[in-house]
Amino acid sequence: MTTPSRSRPGCSSTSPPRPSAASRSTTFLRHVDPAAHPLLTFTKDWRSIEILPASTTVAVPHGLTLDFGAVGKAFAADRAAAEASAAAGCGVLVALAGDIAVAGSVPVNGWPVRVADDHRLRPDGGLPPGQDITLRAPGGLATSCLTVRTRRMADGRTVTHIVDPRTGMPARGPWRTISVSARTCVDANAATTAALVRGHGAGGWLARHGLPARLVHADGWVHTIVGWPDDHSERPGVKVAG
């Protein structure tokens, strides 16, 4: 979870740099005749989806549907921040249930933000384990976590809400929480979820894409990459509470 910080801005560390990225075109979804795309008829899962760059569309076989709920908040945050900044003529931070988008000029002291497993306070009223950072440039920030929105199955197993498309089963780690800074909130949101699904290879994959990130292991170990600010209270490689 990523939330605007309640701490003093002076207590926040330097925000991670934003990587450059090519502009993204709008993608539209359309259903297609399977006969026109025979490769799509063999299976009806995510591998059946065909990206058609020439027409900026995505071909989906009949009987298959896509749920955009996972990226919906991030998309809304990006749009809201951009439009609010343009209308008000100033810098704007929009936070929608953990997805953050920053547009326009940034305050001199930056935007203080806290990244953590959960936005809820502890029973004693204290903040959950996390890190305070300062955002000093427009862009997006998102956190995905396996410790919230879990479900207990009839057999007693506790499963996560993020599904590994390779197996159709809930993602299992080893990372419990991943926060990513990117050019947009949509990019950050997609990267955090994809990284959790990748499991052990998450850090290397994020690094290859030049994405600053903070990864918290299921055992509580913190690992930061690509310029994400050091966590002075929960140093990389040091076990955190929780």
Side-chain angles (χ1 to χ4, degrees):
M1 182 64 67
T2 312
T3 59
S5 177
R6 300 180 182 181
S7 65
R8 293 179 291 109
C11 294
S12 301
S13 54
T14 304
S15 68
R18 298 302 191 278
S20 60
S23 61
R24 298 163 64 96
S25 59
T26 302
T27 300
F28 297 94
L29 179 67
R30 66 183 177 91
H31 284 277
V32 298
D33 180 1
H37 297 268
L39 291 179
L40 301 182
T41 63
F42 290 107
T43 178
K44 291 185 177 181
D45 62 11
W46 62 275
R47 287 175 289 262
S48 306
I49 300 170
E50 183 182 3
I51 299 175
L52 308 173
S55 58
T56 64
T57 61
V58 176
V60 178
H62 290 284
L64 183 69
T65 59
L66 296 179
D67 178 8
F68 292 99
V71 76
K73 290 191 289 86
F75 179 78
D78 282 330
R79 289 289 299 272
E83 294 191 16
S85 178
C90 64
V92 172
L93 180 148
V94 173
L96 298 178
D99 289 338
I100 287 181
V102 174
S105 58
V106 176
V108 174
N109 292 326
W111 294 105
V113 168
R114 182 172 180 82
V115 293
D117 289 353
D118 197 347
H119 68 282
R120 294 170 294 188
L121 298 177
R122 297 193 305 243
D124 62 2
L127 293 174
Q131 179 189 10
D132 293 322
I133 63 174
T134 302
L135 304 181
R136 300 188 183 279
L141 181 68
T143 296
S144 290
C145 184
L146 299 182
T147 63
V148 296
R149 295 176 62 191
T150 58
R151 180 180 180 183
R152 184 169 291 279
M153 307 300 289
D155 60 5
R157 292 180 301 133
T158 298
V159 298
T160 66
H161 69 288
I162 296 178
V163 175
D164 186 337
R166 297 167 297 187
T167 64
M169 300 297 292
R172 301 183 61 182
W175 305 105
R176 77 182 189 199
T177 305
I178 297 179
S179 300
V180 170
S181 169
R183 185 180 62 87
T184 67
C185 191
V186 166
D187 289 344
N189 178 281
T192 57
T193 303
L196 280 177
V197 169
R198 282 184 171 269
H200 291 280
W205 180 77
L206 290 167
R208 287 193 297 274
H209 285 80
L211 294 171
R214 177 180 187 266
L215 301 87
V216 182
H217 194 271
D219 292 332
W221 303 98
V222 177
H223 180 55
T224 59
I225 59 173
V226 195
W228 185 279
D230 290 341
D231 190 337
H232 298 294
S233 61
E234 299 166 5
R235 296 183 303 278
V238 176
K239 191 172 184 179
V240 302

